[in-house]
Amino acid sequence: MLRGNKECRQDSGHQREGLRSDMGCATLLQAVRALLILGLALPSVACMPKAGQTADATQTSPLQVAKDLYFRRDLAAARQAFEKALEHVGSPDRERAEAALALARIEWRFYRDWEQAHSYLEKAETLDGRTFSATLERAEILRRQQHLKQALATARQALSQAETSENRIEALTMVGRLLLLPPEGKGDQGPEFRASQRAVEETLAQLSPLMQENRGRLGISRLVLGLALRSDDGAAALDAWRSYYWVPANFKASPDNEGATTDWDYPLLSGAHSVLSKQLPHWAGPDSPLHARAAVVKALADARLFHEAAWLATDPRLPPEESIHFSEVVAYHRFLAAVEESANEYYRRRALGKGANRELQDGLMAAARPLWQSLHGDDSPARLSLGQLVKKIGERFGAYIYFQTHGDIRSLNMGHRIVDSRQLVEQYGHKAEVRLIVLDSMVSNGYNSWFWDGEAAAGGWVDEEGAIVQVRPSYADGPLRAWNRLTDPEERRRIDKRIKEQTSEDDLRARTDRFAYLPGLALRLRRQAGQKLLTELRSRGLKGPDLKLAFINELNRRIQASSIFAHEGRHALDFRDSMRNFFRSGAEKEFRAKLSEVALAPDPRIALTGGILTANIGDDSSHGQANLRIMKGLVKWMTEHQAGIQGFDQSRPVLPQLDLLTDDQLREAFRSMDPWAK
């Protein structure tokens, strides 16, 4: 809800930590992001205060009630609840200010009421002396209204108000995004252009050290890449490319990947890496020969970085006649921008109860006509169809398009393949070879992801052909945040405080609802998993940068193993059993996949907190119903096996003691519910 860097943001000292969304069959969220929706863990609905009742230690605050409703995508109810939270005089001013910020975002983003949004921002500043979040939100509103000079000045004002390193990253990200907007007019090299170039170089100098501190963090890495290309700094651009795609320091590859000295997760990009490694160290900006520019533009496009490729192709310092060499890349980039704009406007209208599902595909096809004409000639639009479009841009640009329907709303998932391989999935004697697709450079990640605006996002699904699809940006930054939560003293103290606060309320929640979502339990399990991995790696003698890199890589591997190969793999295996799968409900399919996700996970605690111990337990979604069924099964198993649970207290509710189970006991509990395991 609050504006910030979509890859990583911090509001009032809180970061996101992770939750799987209700996106229908087999849809995921980044497994290690935490405390969704404005940065706080979501409550159980059973703990909502009654009308006119003041929230106390046993009840959920008005602000958290509003967040819960927003997470469930009930826009009208969430809007009213945030208004109540704003007016709730018994709440701390910080929470009331947070409600005002949320309302500002709802007003401009959904209702396009810019004036009302500014009014809420003023209330937030009045309630809370910390003005950074309100200023940054104001800059975003100005950007959306195309008041770009005012937006840039406001973003710089937010930078001056930054209180933490995360605030600084968010503000610099906004400044950088504004500076990288497409140039106005060809050949414009007057005073305004030169001033913009200086600003780009200054922002690059500020962001580069922050990228080094956060290598592998997607938002910063890609922004530095764009700024470096705009600054004609080839060495910095190559370093940012390597950070964005996690290229190992000793990786050297030829176009066919011969001579590689170490493994890399993205062999499809090996050719692009070879070209960029050769060309960028000698990059001379507009003075580079045409053949070098053509090679770099093609390599960036092959790496699915179409925005950066199109900018190099349309650099206003170049002769206009050069653009003909890059017309295909430029046309495709314009197509992507048009699809994103059309899909987002469709999602906004659907959130308001307007529009029709057909508008989504109609918008895609309208955006495709200029591209199709560019690719095929003047007479081609008559031959354009959705099937032809999907096939053509899939072959030429690596595009992947998939439509899903969730509830009564149609969604578009569109990104670009950076992994496309065959994988063997085997569970309990059932096996199948499945196609694994990993997407990057997302254009649209569905209605739910748009609604939450970066606070949560779809992480994967099994498509209609049985392929497992993973959305890389939904996963990539989580391990780095997990590292920071464990090793950064300020972050660790914040999480410690949060664990203490929420743990003290877990038993009260569980007495009201034996199967309720328990934020304290989720935080404790997440801490246990991270600490266990850190201890394992330190026991191998790792320390310093080597320890950090090993932690990030291993946590990413464990997340993928559980959420993709175990969870989505179960869906893929069920997909093969088409007749039986046809008669299973969505909740039954999710239940089976979640059982595999934990029982077959390298670390069941990571899997459990990724998409099962979440605020949607018991709601009417397939995920919520599956999670409720799992909570009931866990309480049953723990009750029957309490004698074997070290430290179990019979006087306390059962579920808050789930963190007493060993990893093997957790796996056993989940296997007890699985017909395949039996």
Side-chain angles (χ1 to χ4, degrees):
M1 286 288 296
L2 299 186
R3 167 52 51 194
N5 180 3
K6 286 190 175 183
E7 279 68 35
C8 183
R9 50 170 295 278
Q10 182 179 17
D11 301 312
S12 303
H14 298 282
Q15 285 181 323
R16 299 166 294 175
E17 294 187 25
L19 193 58
R20 177 170 299 142
S21 68
D22 169 31
M23 291 283 289
C25 181
T27 300
L28 310 175
L29 280 182
Q30 178 179 348
V32 293
R33 286 184 178 175
L35 309 179
L36 292 178
I37 309 307
L38 305 179
L40 291 174
L42 296 172
S44 166
V45 178
C47 301
M48 291 184 180
K50 296 178 181 179
Q53 189 175 23
T54 302
D56 58 29
T58 67
Q59 299 164 339
T60 300
S61 71
L63 178 63
Q64 288 189 335
V65 170
K67 292 173 185 174
D68 188 38
L69 290 167
Y70 185 84
F71 175 71
R72 297 171 190 270
R73 302 174 307 284
D74 190 339
L75 180 61
R79 188 187 194 190
Q80 293 179 348
F82 277 121
E83 290 171 350
K84 290 180 180 178
L86 173 60
E87 301 302 325
H88 194 270
V89 294
S91 298
D93 285 348
R94 177 187 59 80
E95 291 189 4
R96 296 175 64 198
E98 198 172 339
L101 286 165
L103 284 165
R105 172 147 283 259
I106 287 173
E107 290 303 321
W108 76 258
R109 191 164 182 266
F110 290 92
Y111 296 97
R112 294 293 189 259
D113 191 336
W114 313 101
E115 183 177 347
Q116 184 61 51
H118 283 293
S119 175
Y120 279 127
L121 291 179
E122 291 173 0
K123 289 184 179 181
E125 290 171 322
T126 300
L127 286 165
D128 191 349
R130 294 171 295 179
T131 58
F132 169 80
S133 294
T135 303
L136 196 64
E137 187 73 14
R138 190 172 286 114
E140 176 65 6
I141 292 174
L142 291 167
R143 183 180 79 86
R144 296 299 182 107
Q145 291 181 294
Q146 296 298 306
H147 302 320
L148 302 183
K149 290 183 179 179
Q150 293 174 265
L152 184 58
T154 306
R156 286 171 170 155
Q157 180 185 356
L159 180 59
S160 70
Q161 298 170 344
E163 298 177 341
T164 66
S165 60
E166 283 298 323
N167 289 164
R168 183 173 174 80
I169 289 172
E170 291 176 24
L172 282 169
T173 296
M174 177 69 76
V175 171
R177 288 171 64 197
L178 288 163
L179 291 172
L180 289 179
L181 288 174
E184 296 180 3
K186 299 291 293 182
D188 178 10
Q189 297 191 55
E192 186 172 341
F193 179 84
R194 290 194 294 272
S196 175
Q197 283 293 96
R198 286 194 298 271
V200 166
E201 293 166 4
E202 291 169 0
T203 305
L204 175 63
Q206 292 174 295
L207 268 172
S208 291
L210 294 172
M211 187 194 77
Q212 297 304 331
E213 295 173 8
N214 298 272
R215 289 195 69 81
R217 186 162 154 179
L218 300 194
I220 300 175
S221 300
R222 188 156 182 180
L223 183 58
V224 169
L225 173 61
L227 293 168
L229 290 171
R230 177 79 176 264
S231 301
D232 306 324
D233 189 337
L238 179 60
D239 189 48
W241 144 265
R242 295 176 70 93
S243 176
Y244 183 81
Y245 273 125
W246 300 352
V247 183
N250 61 335
F251 182 78
K252 299 181 186 301
S254 59
D256 58 2
N257 205 29
E258 291 182 358
T261 57
T262 187
D263 291 333
W264 186 33
D265 289 338
Y266 308 113
L268 281 181
L269 308 183
S270 183
H273 174 69
S274 181
V275 172
L276 295 174
S277 297
K278 178 181 178 181
Q279 297 291 343
L280 287 180
H282 312 290
W283 187 247
D287 296 326
S288 297
L290 179 59
H291 71 85
R293 178 175 299 277
V296 171
V297 169
K298 182 179 184 303
L300 289 170
D302 288 345
R304 320 312 190 199
L305 301 173
F306 299 103
H307 178 79
E308 293 78 3
W311 192 90
L312 281 188
T314 57
D315 187 332
R317 298 169 294 177
L318 294 174
E321 60 269 19
E322 274 200 16
S323 62
I324 193 173
H325 298 284
F326 311 109
S327 58
E328 184 176 298
V329 169
V330 173
Y332 186 68
H333 176 252
R334 289 172 178 164
F335 162 70
L336 296 181
V339 172
E340 181 176 11
E341 181 179 2
S342 173
N344 289 348
E345 177 59 19
Y346 160 81
Y347 294 144
R348 187 186 75 86
R349 285 171 50 78
R350 296 297 280 143
L352 299 176
K354 302 177 180 178
N357 283 341
R358 66 177 182 276
E359 295 175 10
L360 183 61
Q361 185 170 319
D362 289 347
L364 173 69
M365 298 306 291
R369 291 188 186 100
L371 171 65
W372 198 256
Q373 185 168 345
S374 175
L375 295 176
H376 293 283
D378 293 340
D379 64 340
S380 60
R383 302 195 308 271
L384 175 61
S385 69
L386 178 61
Q388 291 172 325
L389 175 68
V390 170
K391 180 180 179 181
K392 190 71 171 183
I393 65 176
E395 293 173 346
R396 190 165 296 194
F397 303 105
Y400 172 95
I401 292 178
Y402 186 57
F403 288 96
Q404 302 186 66
T405 300
H406 309 294
D408 61 346
I409 296 180
R410 190 78 161 154
S411 282
L412 169 66
N413 297 97
M414 179 177 178
H416 295 84
R417 291 177 284 109
I418 59 172
V419 171
D420 194 343
S421 63
R422 307 296 297 185
Q423 301 284 336
L424 179 65
V425 175
E426 183 173 5
Q427 297 183 14
Y428 303 112
H430 302 261
K431 64 175 63 176
E433 186 181 62
V434 298
R435 184 183 180 190
L436 173 66
I437 298 172
V438 179
L439 301 179
D440 203 276
S441 294
M442 299 300 294
V443 181
S444 173
N445 200 17
Y447 172 72
N448 289 0
S449 299
W450 175 86
F451 192 101
W452 290 318
D453 193 29
E455 299 300 330
W461 53 88
V462 172
D463 68 16
E464 59 192 8
E465 296 180 355
I468 297 175
V469 182
Q470 180 183 9
V471 179
R472 177 177 181 255
S474 295
Y475 285 78
D477 289 346
L480 177 60
R481 291 197 188 93
W483 167 266
N484 290 336
R485 289 194 298 269
L486 283 169
T487 61
D488 180 83
E490 180 181 344
E491 273 295 286
R492 191 172 179 98
R493 283 193 296 270
R494 182 182 69 81
I495 298 297
D496 285 343
K497 180 181 178 182
R498 187 75 182 154
I499 288 174
K500 183 177 180 180
E501 292 173 348
Q502 293 296 336
T503 295
S504 66
E505 299 181 17
D506 276 356
D507 280 18
L508 294 171
R509 293 185 178 101
R511 293 187 192 282
T512 303
D513 179 353
R514 291 195 301 155
F515 315 116
Y517 167 58
L518 305 175
L521 173 63
L523 288 169
R524 296 195 305 276
L525 287 166
R526 196 172 291 120
R527 167 65 64 79
Q528 289 172 358
Q531 192 61 56
K532 175 188 173 186
L533 176 56
L534 194 59
T535 301
E536 287 177 13
L537 297 174
R538 282 174 172 162
S539 70
R540 301 177 194 172
L542 294 170
K543 57 185 178 181
D546 291 338
L547 175 63
K548 180 179 180 179
L549 181 60
F551 180 92
I552 291 171
N553 286 335
E554 179 59 19
L555 182 53
N556 183 67
R557 186 192 71 80
R558 294 184 182 188
I559 291 168
Q560 187 180 63
S562 59
S563 64
I564 295 299
F565 291 111
H567 182 108
E568 301 298 347
R570 182 63 173 266
H571 282 302
L573 291 170
D574 278 344
F575 181 86
R576 296 295 190 274
D577 187 10
S578 57
M579 183 57 69
R580 292 182 182 178
N581 196 52
F582 179 81
F583 292 103
R584 294 186 181 116
S585 67
E588 175 69 19
K589 295 173 186 176
E590 290 305 325
F591 176 69
R592 292 163 62 86
K594 290 168 190 282
L595 296 182
S596 287
E597 181 175 3
V598 176
L600 303 178
D603 190 324
R605 280 166 162 74
I606 292 174
L608 187 58
T609 56
I612 298 172
L613 279 177
T614 64
N616 67 350
I617 292 172
D619 71 10
D620 58 3
S621 69
S622 58
H623 282 278
Q625 289 300 305
N627 289 342
L628 176 60
R629 188 174 170 186
I630 288 172
M631 293 306 109
K632 291 179 177 180
L634 288 173
V635 169
K636 179 178 182 293
W637 190 92
M638 290 175 67
T639 302
E640 293 173 351
H641 295 81
Q642 57 185 273
I645 302 174
Q646 187 174 358
F648 187 84
D649 185 348
Q650 294 184 357
S651 67
R652 293 179 56 205
V654 175
L655 193 56
Q657 302 183 69
L658 183 64
D659 57 327
L660 297 177
L661 271 61
T662 65
D663 287 353
D664 286 342
Q665 287 175 323
L666 281 171
R667 293 188 181 99
E668 184 181 346
F670 274 76
R671 284 195 295 266
S672 73
M673 296 181 259
D674 194 332
W676 278 10
K678 295 176 181 179

